[in-house]
């Protein structure tokens, strides 16, 4: 039976508004123990900000994290999948675009989750090392 994205995704994606400072976005990531946040404008997806973006596009460029907004450095126009899409379709998109995560949104644009490389690996091979890492509880 074909698995659907909604069966493997992480529900309730963590979001920040586009004018949130990088410092606040970093705190949100830390507190949620995640490596990315979805950037929204009035609830609509506008981009994705990763911990790598913070390093490469902000710190390495000497941007002030308290003054720079997430909108200034996030990846805009992220590739998305729908909750009813085939898991293989999500994997193919990740492979083709070298992505580690995909926002999941309904046809009307409602954000309902994020599917990660780890989510897909747990689905594909629950006994693999990557699946074990993805499923592990974070250290406190």
């Amino acid at each position: 039976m074909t698995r659907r994205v909604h069966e493997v995704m992480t529900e309730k994606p963590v979001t920040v508004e586009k004018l949130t400072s990088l410092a606040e976005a970093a705190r949100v990531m830390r507190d949620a123990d995640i490596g990315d946040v979805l950037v929204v404008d009035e609830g609509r997806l506008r981009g994705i900000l990763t911990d790598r973006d913070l390093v490469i596009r902000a710190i390495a460029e000497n941007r002030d994290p308290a003054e720079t907004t997430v909108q200034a450095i996030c990846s805009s126009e992220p590739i998305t999948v729908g909750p009813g899409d085939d898991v293989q379709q999500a994997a193919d998109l990740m492979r083709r675009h070298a992505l580690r995560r995909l926002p999941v949104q309904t046809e009307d644009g409602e954000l309902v989750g994020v599917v990660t490389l780890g989510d897909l690996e747990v689905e594909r091979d629950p006994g693999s090392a990557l699946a074990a890492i993805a499923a592990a509880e974070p250290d406190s």
Side-chain angles (χ1 to χ4, degrees):
M1 182 173 155
T2 302
R3 299 277 288 179
R4 301 292 171 196
V5 168
H6 70 87
E7 297 175 85
V8 300
M9 72 182 189
T10 300
E11 295 180 3
K12 299 180 184 152
V14 177
T15 63
V16 295
E17 286 290 327
K18 69 180 183 177
L19 298 179
T20 302
S21 73
L22 298 181
E24 179 59 24
R27 285 189 288 273
V28 168
M29 286 187 221
R30 177 200 62 202
D31 294 348
D33 195 34
I34 55 177
D36 67 278
V37 289
L38 300 181
V39 178
V40 298
D41 180 17
E42 297 181 5
R44 303 308 261 182
L45 181 65
R46 296 294 182 238
I48 187 167
L49 179 75
T50 68
D51 46 9
R52 186 172 192 279
D53 293 331
L54 290 170
V55 172
I56 302 299
R57 296 179 181 169
I59 295 170
E61 297 294 326
N62 293 319
R63 292 179 184 243
D64 181 347
E67 298 296 324
T68 307
T69 65
V70 296
Q71 174 181 262
I73 70 160
C74 73
S75 299
S76 59
E77 301 179 29
I79 296 168
T80 64
V81 292
D85 290 349
D86 186 290
V87 167
Q88 188 58 50
Q89 179 182 354
D92 291 344
L93 281 170
M94 289 177 154
R95 185 178 305 110
R96 191 170 340 126
H97 298 282
L99 300 171
R100 294 184 175 133
R101 53 191 65 85
L102 292 171
V104 181
Q105 61 185 65
T106 62
E107 287 183 21
D108 67 354
E110 178 188 0
L111 284 168
V112 294
V114 174
V115 63
T116 67
L117 193 58
D119 295 331
L120 296 179
E121 183 61 13
V122 169
E123 168 62 21
R124 187 187 71 78
D125 184 3
S128 74
L130 179 57
I133 292 167
E137 289 296 319
D139 292 335
S140 3

